[in-house]
Amino acid sequence: MDVSVTSAGDANTGLPEAVKATARRLLAELGAGGLSLDAVAADSGLAVKDVAAVFPHRDDLLTALVIDAYNTSGAAMEQADQAARDARASAGARLLAVTRALRAWSFANPAEFTLIYGSPVPGYHAPPETVPPASRTPEVLGGIIRSALEAGELTPPRRPLPEPSVLLPTAVEVFGGTPGAPFSDIIERGIVLWSNLIGLLVFQVFSRTHDSVRDQSAFFDRAIAVAAEGIGLVVPLGENTD
């Protein structure tokens, strides 16, 4: 791999990006648990000391990959949401657009999807700097839910969740406060929607539904519509899928 640089600015970005590119390729072959600085150096043709100069430890490299994965997947959702808003789409259509975008990213980047949503990497503990990138996905979902609430697009729940709330204050703060009745449990319901989305993607990326579903993309849309019913949001179906 040619990682030569021509300026100090290139040196600051060229080598780290080259190392991460090699690491992403090895993720698919070795899994996150098999990733090491030695493996990256051998595959890229670099000296281990050169790899260690930008990522001193394996965990530093994993953290960089985790942050990139959250940022690129979050950006895909944000771009899809902006396009839907520009088209004056309903909140339900926006939800379908952003979840489709995350699905497309997940299938295009299965190793990185596995890194952030698969089994924990033995011995690795994500540091605090991964939290803001990881928050981009729920923030997109939360923004759509807030818009639906403000536009009157939500149907009140038939069975409100019991009090008191089990949420941490940070979750309420991120959403912008607790809405009044009958939507006072909407944040908890939104977290359920988020977890349903990730679980659905795990099933699809890891081929858990292929023995029971003949149209994976259509099933994904239907599953999102069903999950959205939990927050009282109608997701339009019957549109073209990928």
Side-chain angles (χ1 to χ4, degrees), residues 3 5 10-20 46 50-51 53-55:
V3 293
V5 294
D10 290 338
N12 289 334
T13 59
L15 183 57
E17 290 303 319
V19 170
K20 288 192 292 184
L46 294 167
D50 291 330
V51 176
V54 289
F55 299 109

Side-chain angles (χ1 to χ4, degrees), residues 185-207:
D185 60 7
I186 195 65
I187 303 175
E188 291 180 74
R189 291 176 180 274
I191 295 173
V192 172
L193 173 64
W194 174 27
S195 60
N196 283 346
L197 167 61
I198 301 305
L200 174 61
L201 288 172
V202 167
F203 260 58
Q204 292 216 320
V205 173
F206 299 152
S207 299

Side-chain angles (χ1 to χ4, degrees), residues 60-87:
D60 298 316
L61 178 56
L62 279 177
T63 294
L65 297 177
V66 166
I67 289 173
D68 282 357
Y70 278 128
N71 276 331
T72 55
S73 60
M77 296 179 71
E78 291 161 359
Q79 291 163 10
D81 191 34
Q82 185 61 59
R85 283 187 289 161
D86 289 345

Side-chain angles (χ1 to χ4, degrees), residues 75-164:
M77 296 179 71
E78 291 161 359
Q79 291 163 10
D81 191 34
Q82 185 61 59
R85 283 187 289 161
D86 289 345
R88 300 184 181 278
S90 66
R94 287 171 59 190
L95 179 64
L96 187 59
V98 302
T99 55
R100 281 177 172 177
L102 184 58
R103 180 179 187 269
W105 178 88
S106 301
F107 276 95
N109 303 276
E112 291 161 86
F113 173 85
T114 302
L115 176 64
I116 58 177
Y117 292 124
S119 299
V121 181
Y124 174 73
H125 301 282
E129 56 262 37
T130 61
V131 174
S135 298
R136 292 176 73 168
T137 290
E139 284 174 357
V140 171
L141 299 176
I144 293 172
I145 295 171
R146 282 195 303 272
S147 294
L149 185 60
E150 293 166 359
E153 295 184 49
L154 298 184
T155 300
R158 288 179 293 178
R159 183 188 178 190
L161 298 179
E163 295 289 348

Side-chain angles (χ1 to χ4, degrees), residues 1-3 14-31 35-46 51 55 61 65 111:
M1 175 184 295
D2 181 7
V3 293
L15 183 57
E17 290 303 319
V19 170
K20 288 192 292 184
T22 299
R24 290 188 190 99
R25 186 166 61 251
L26 291 177
L27 276 178
E29 299 175 8
L30 306 175
L35 194 65
S36 68
L37 300 188
D38 287 341
V40 171
D43 192 80
S44 63
L46 294 167
V51 176
F55 299 109
L61 178 56
L65 297 177

